[in-house]
Amino acid sequence: MSTGRIFKFHNDLDTDQIIASQYLLLPSIDEMKDHTFESLDPDFPKKVKPGDYVVGGENFGCGSSREQAPSVLKALGVKAVVAKSFARIFYRNAINIGLPVIVCKELPDAVKTGDEMELSLTDGTAKANGAVYTCTKLPPYMQQILNQGGLIASLNKEEA
């Protein structure tokens, strides 16, 4: 289990709100990450620390299919995204690049930005504000993909 600070966002958070389209022209994720959540919290890239969590409501990551949205979160050191539900393409893109995305129905309504959270991917639980929440417990094959850094890294290790 790892403890980190929560950065909470709203329902129907669009990939354009994670990383706006004009920044997709930048040559690298490392340059793009400084603009993460710019329209919602311009200081987010300065405030978030490796091991922190992003928490959202329903339909997190809706909008376009851009892989850069989960990539900038991972590049900033976000440990996982926890939400009530995810847009399907965001969910798949996050797993593909090795960013844990966890469905936890009750937690988002019970926390706020700045709260501390402890997440166990293995147990499928999150702890915050003295309460324990049941979350999606990822199947072993998905945990393996995440542990190896994403789908491509996992496939490359299988071929070796």
Side-chain angles (χ1 to χ4, degrees):
M1 286 219 235
S2 59
T3 302
R5 202 168 30 143
I6 291 172
F7 289 86
K8 185 176 172 183
F9 295 93
H10 53 77
N11 290 335
D12 301 310
L13 188 120
D14 191 291
T15 54
D16 278 327
Q17 293 171 310
I18 299 171
I19 183 71
S21 60
Q22 69 262 29
Y23 299 117
L24 301 179
L25 299 173
L26 294 172
S28 71
I29 293 295
D30 198 50
E31 292 175 71
M32 288 179 214
K33 72 181 184 185
D34 294 333
H35 301 282
T36 304
F37 291 124
E38 190 170 86
S39 66
L40 301 174
D41 181 358
D43 294 326
F44 177 82
K46 294 175 189 151
K47 295 187 289 190
V48 69
K49 302 289 180 234
D52 286 343
Y53 298 99
V54 167
V55 172
E58 298 281 352
N59 202 26
F60 188 95
C62 59
S64 73
S65 62
R66 66 183 63 146
E67 191 173 275
Q68 294 91 340
S71 295
V72 293
L73 295 173
K74 185 177 178 183
L76 287 169
V78 170
K79 183 77 172 169
V81 179
V82 178
K84 289 183 179 184
S85 67
F86 291 91
R88 187 177 292 218
I89 192 71
F90 180 89
Y91 186 89
R92 174 52 70 193
N93 283 339
I95 296 296
N96 285 351
I97 60 118
L99 176 67
V101 280
I102 306 299
V103 174
C104 195
K105 297 285 186 186
E106 290 82 28
L107 177 106
D109 291 333
V111 299
K112 64 186 181 314
T113 294
D115 289 348
E116 293 283 320
M117 183 174 82
E118 202 173 285
L119 180 66
S120 172
L121 296 176
T122 308
D123 297 335
T125 60
K127 296 178 184 177
N129 300 325
V132 178
Y133 301 90
T134 301
C135 305
T136 301
K137 185 175 178 182
L138 297 177
Y141 74 91
M142 284 183 78
Q143 285 191 18
Q144 182 177 353
I145 288 170
L146 291 170
N147 292 342
Q148 293 178 337
L151 183 61
I152 299 301
S154 177
L155 292 172
N156 286 338
K157 287 180 183 176
E158 285 180 16
E159 291 175 6

